[in-house]
Amino acid sequence: MTDTTSNKMWGGRFAAGPDAIMEAINASIGFDKRMAAQDIKGSRAHAAMLAATGILTDSDAEAIREGLLTILSEIEEGRFEFSAALEDIHMNVEARLKELIGEPAGRLHTGRSRNDQVATDFKLWVRDQLDAADEGLQALIRALLSQAEAGADWVMPGFTHLQTAQPVTWGHHMMAYVEMFGRDLSRFRDARKRMNECPLGAAALAGTSFPIDREMTAEALGFDRPAANSLDAVSDRDFALEFMSAASICAMHLSRFAEELVIWSSAQFRFVALSDRFSTGSSIMPQKKNPDAAELIRAKVGRIFGANTALMMVMKGLPLAYSKDMQEDKEQVFDAADNLMLALAAMTGMVGDMTAERENLAAAAGSGFSTATDLADWLVRVPNLPFRDAHHVTGTLVAMAEKQGCDLPDLTLKQMQSVHGEITKDVFDVLGVDNSVNSRMSYGGTAPAQVRAQVTRWKEILK
C-alpha cells in the first residue's frame, strides 16, 4: 500500500497539512490497529445495510465486501503496510480499499462518521475482551474447585490480621476465592449486557439524513439494540470504564491470592509447593525457588488500577459530544486487558499445578490456640456461661497454656478446673481441629460437608 500523503482526509481546508509534530501527536495507528478486525466487521455491516436500504448499489456493496475481506487477509498475514500519515486504522483501511476497488470505496462512509465508527469499533473490541475475561475466570474457578474438592476436609489455620484465628479447611479457603472470582465473573457479564448497544449510525453527533436501518446493523454486529441518543452514542466511554473497573477489582482479587501464595510457599510456612513451571531460581543462591509468577501477578494490579484512573481523568471534563482527548482512551484499555488476561492465565496455571502440603497445614492448624473459640462456645453451651464470661475464662486458660509453653488441648482437666470448676472432660472433644471444623455446619461454614455442597453448587452454575 502506498503512503498517499497527498490524499489526506483534511481536504482543501488545510492546504499545507500538519507538520511532523502534529502528525506524531495526532496519529493513533500505532495502537488502534489492534481494532482492525472490528473496524472491518463494522464496515461490512454498514455496507450491507446501505445496499439493503438502496443507498448503495449491490455491485458497489459487493466490491466493498470483497475489498474489505482482502484487507483483513493482508492484516492477518502481516502484509498490510500501516501508515502514520493516515492517522488511524479507519483511514488506513479506507485508503487501501480505494487502492483495491477505486470509486466505490468512497461510498462506504455514507451515513456515518469516524465518531460513530470508532465508538463501534472500540465497543466491539471491549466486548471481545469481556468475553475473554469471562472464559479466563471460568477456567480459574474450575481450577479452584478442583483444589477445594480434593482438600474439602484438610485442616489448616484460618487467619485474621495474619494471626491464627480458627481452624478452617483447605477447601473452604479455596472456595473463598471462588466466590470472589465469581463476583468478578458477574461484573463482567453485567457490564457486557449494559454496553451492548450499537453506536453505528449516530454519525458525527446528530444522526444522519440518509434512510439508514440502525436495527439491521445492530443485529448484524451482535448488539441488542441501537444506542438511543446520537450525542451519547459517540461520546460514551462508560463501557470501557466499566470494563476497567471490573478488571481492577478482579486484579485486586488476583493480587490478594498471589500474596497468599508468596507467603504460603515460603520456607517459614510451607503450606504449598508451586510447580517449577511457575517458579524461578536464584542466580546466586542454589536453594531458592522464587514464586515469581505470583509476584508479577501481584504487581499487575498497579498497571490496571493506573489505566482505570488514567481513562477516568481523560473523560472527566469533556463536554458533549466528541473531543480528540478521547483518542487517549485505547492504550490504557489495551494495556489493562493484556495484563488482566496474562494474570488470569498465570494464576490458573499456578492453581492447577500447586500442591497443598497437607501435613504442614494440619500442624499449623493445631497451633496458636486456634480452638480457643471452640472452648468459649462449649462454655456457653454446656455450663451455660454468658459469652462474655466464657470469653474471660478462655482467655485465662490461653494465658496459662502460653505460660507453660503448650497448647489448649495439652492442659490437664485439673488445670482447667482451677479456672472454672464446671469444666468436664467432655471439653476435650471440641479442642481438636478436626472436631472444630466439622462442627461449623452453618451455611457457608468450613465444615467439609458445607464445602462439598458449595463445590457442587458452583459446578452447576458453570454448566
Side-chain angles (χ1 to χ4, degrees), residues 262-459:
V262 170
I263 293 170
W264 290 352
S265 62
S266 69
Q268 289 71 31
F269 272 73
R270 294 181 181 174
F271 283 5
V272 299
L274 300 178
S275 75
D276 291 345
R277 293 202 308 153
F278 294 96
S279 306
T280 64
S282 166
S283 63
I284 191 173
M285 295 169 285
Q287 83 281 11
K288 294 288 294 298
K289 185 177 180 181
N290 300 324
D292 282 8
E295 292 171 358
L296 289 166
I297 290 171
R298 189 173 58 185
K300 294 294 184 189
V301 70
R303 293 179 67 160
I304 296 171
F305 279 12
N308 187 27
T309 301
L311 183 54
M312 290 286 280
M313 294 303 292
V314 167
M315 297 301 299
K316 72 173 183 64
L318 299 186
L320 298 180
Y322 181 84
S323 297
K324 193 68 171 180
D325 310 49
M326 293 166 70
Q327 183 169 288
E328 294 296 311
D329 57 0
K330 296 169 194 67
E331 286 181 282
Q332 290 86 3
V333 178
F334 293 162
D335 188 71
D338 289 346
N339 282 285
L340 177 67
M341 292 310 301
L342 184 57
L344 280 171
M347 184 60 81
T348 301
M350 277 195 297
V351 171
D353 284 1
M354 72 182 180
T355 302
E357 302 287 7
R358 186 176 180 180
E359 291 183 5
N360 295 342
L361 290 169
S367 65
F369 311 107
S370 64
T371 55
T373 305
D374 297 278
L375 173 56
D377 289 347
W378 184 88
L379 289 167
V380 170
R381 285 196 309 271
V382 181
N384 200 29
L385 267 66
F387 183 78
R388 288 301 173 197
D389 293 347
H391 188 282
H392 176 74
V393 169
T394 301
T396 303
L397 290 170
V398 166
M400 179 185 292
E402 193 169 34
K403 187 175 181 180
Q404 295 186 20
C406 66
D407 213 329
L408 283 172
D410 301 319
L411 293 174
T412 67
L413 178 60
K414 185 176 181 180
Q415 287 172 320
M416 290 188 181
Q417 288 176 335
S418 70
V419 176
H420 194 279
E422 295 183 59
I423 296 177
T424 69
K425 62 180 177 62
D426 294 338
V427 74
F428 292 99
D429 292 337
V430 303
L431 293 181
V433 291
D434 289 304
N435 291 332
S436 175
V437 296
N438 283 320
S439 71
R440 307 292 172 180
M441 277 295 293
S442 57
Y443 181 80
T446 193
Q450 284 294 322
V451 172
R452 292 186 178 102
Q454 293 301 324
V455 169
T456 299
R457 181 177 73 90
W458 268 101
K459 285 183 176 181

Side-chain angles (χ1 to χ4, degrees), residues 176-224:
Y177 283 104
V178 168
E179 293 295 326
M180 287 188 206
F181 294 122
R183 290 193 296 273
D184 292 325
L185 186 62
S186 70
R187 271 185 281 271
F188 284 120
R189 289 177 175 177
D190 187 51
R192 191 191 194 284
K193 182 178 180 181
R194 186 163 29 256
M195 63 90 77
N196 208 32
E197 297 183 345
C198 185
L200 194 58
L205 76 164
T208 179
S209 59
F210 290 96
I212 61 173
D213 185 347
R214 293 192 63 206
E215 295 282 353
M216 180 179 173
T217 47
E219 182 178 356
L221 294 172
F223 289 105
D224 295 329

Side-chain angles (χ1 to χ4, degrees), residues 6-329:
S6 61
N7 190 28
K8 292 181 181 290
M9 72 215 154
W10 297 78
R13 174 67 181 85
F14 295 91
D19 61 17
I21 295 174
M22 181 59 190
E23 182 175 290
I25 197 171
N26 197 46
S28 60
I29 188 60
F31 51 86
D32 68 15
K33 62 186 178 183
R34 291 186 64 167
M35 301 192 303
Q38 289 79 17
D39 187 70
I40 290 170
K41 184 177 183 179
S43 289
R44 288 180 62 194
H46 186 65
M49 179 275 295
L50 292 176
T53 54
I55 300 170
L56 200 64
T57 65
D58 289 341
S59 61
D60 281 353
E62 179 62 19
I64 289 170
R65 188 187 78 83
E66 291 297 328
L68 289 171
L69 289 175
T70 298
I71 294 169
L72 182 61
S73 295
E74 291 176 348
I75 292 172
E76 290 176 344
E77 294 167 8
R79 296 184 289 111
F80 190 94
E81 296 180 21
F82 294 100
S83 169
L86 292 169
E87 292 191 16
D88 56 27
I89 185 60
H90 323 296
M91 296 310 299
N92 269 262
V93 169
E94 187 173 321
R96 177 58 176 151
L97 186 64
K98 186 173 183 180
E99 288 181 350
L100 289 171
I101 68 172
E103 184 184 5
R107 303 184 189 280
L108 174 59
H109 212 51
T110 306
R112 75 174 182 184
S113 161
R114 273 200 303 171
N115 292 355
D116 61 333
Q117 186 180 2
V118 69
T120 303
D121 293 358
F122 198 23
K123 263 199 177 183
L124 289 171
W125 194 92
V126 170
R127 192 176 70 185
D128 288 343
Q129 300 311 301
L130 288 166
D131 292 342
D134 189 305
E135 291 180 12
L137 279 165
Q138 287 191 62
L140 175 55
I141 289 170
R142 287 191 174 93
L144 288 164
L145 288 174
S146 294
Q147 287 282 353
E149 191 166 32
D153 57 358
W154 300 354
V155 292
M156 67 175 289
F159 299 95
T160 60
H161 309 277
L162 205 57
Q163 305 294 314
T164 299
Q166 293 176 260
V168 295
T169 57
W170 173 257
H172 193 54
H173 203 114
M174 294 299 101
M175 290 305 295
Y177 283 104
V178 168
E179 293 295 326
M180 287 188 206
F181 294 122
R183 290 193 296 273
D184 292 325
L185 186 62
S186 70
R187 271 185 281 271
F188 284 120
R189 289 177 175 177
D190 187 51
R192 191 191 194 284
K193 182 178 180 181
R194 186 163 29 256
M195 63 90 77
N196 208 32
E197 297 183 345
C198 185
L200 194 58
L205 76 164
T208 179
S209 59
F210 290 96
I212 61 173
D213 185 347
R214 293 192 63 206
E215 295 282 353
M216 180 179 173
T217 47
E219 182 178 356
L221 294 172
F223 289 105
D224 295 329
R225 65 192 69 85
N229 183 282
S230 58
L231 279 169
D232 178 57
V234 298
S235 61
D236 165 45
R237 293 298 183 270
D238 288 3
F239 61 91
L241 288 167
E242 279 204 73
F243 166 68
M244 296 228 285
S245 296
S248 294
I249 297 172
C250 182
M252 177 269 292
H253 290 152
L254 288 166
S255 182
R256 292 184 73 180
F257 195 14
E259 171 72 2
E260 293 208 305
L261 293 180
V262 170
I263 293 170
W264 290 352
S265 62
S266 69
Q268 289 71 31
F269 272 73
R270 294 181 181 174
F271 283 5
V272 299
L274 300 178
S275 75
D276 291 345
R277 293 202 308 153
F278 294 96
S279 306
T280 64
S282 166
S283 63
I284 191 173
M285 295 169 285
Q287 83 281 11
K288 294 288 294 298
K289 185 177 180 181
N290 300 324
D292 282 8
E295 292 171 358
L296 289 166
I297 290 171
R298 189 173 58 185
K300 294 294 184 189
V301 70
R303 293 179 67 160
I304 296 171
F305 279 12
N308 187 27
T309 301
L311 183 54
M312 290 286 280
M313 294 303 292
V314 167
M315 297 301 299
K316 72 173 183 64
L318 299 186
L320 298 180
Y322 181 84
S323 297
K324 193 68 171 180
D325 310 49
M326 293 166 70
Q327 183 169 288
E328 294 296 311
D329 57 0

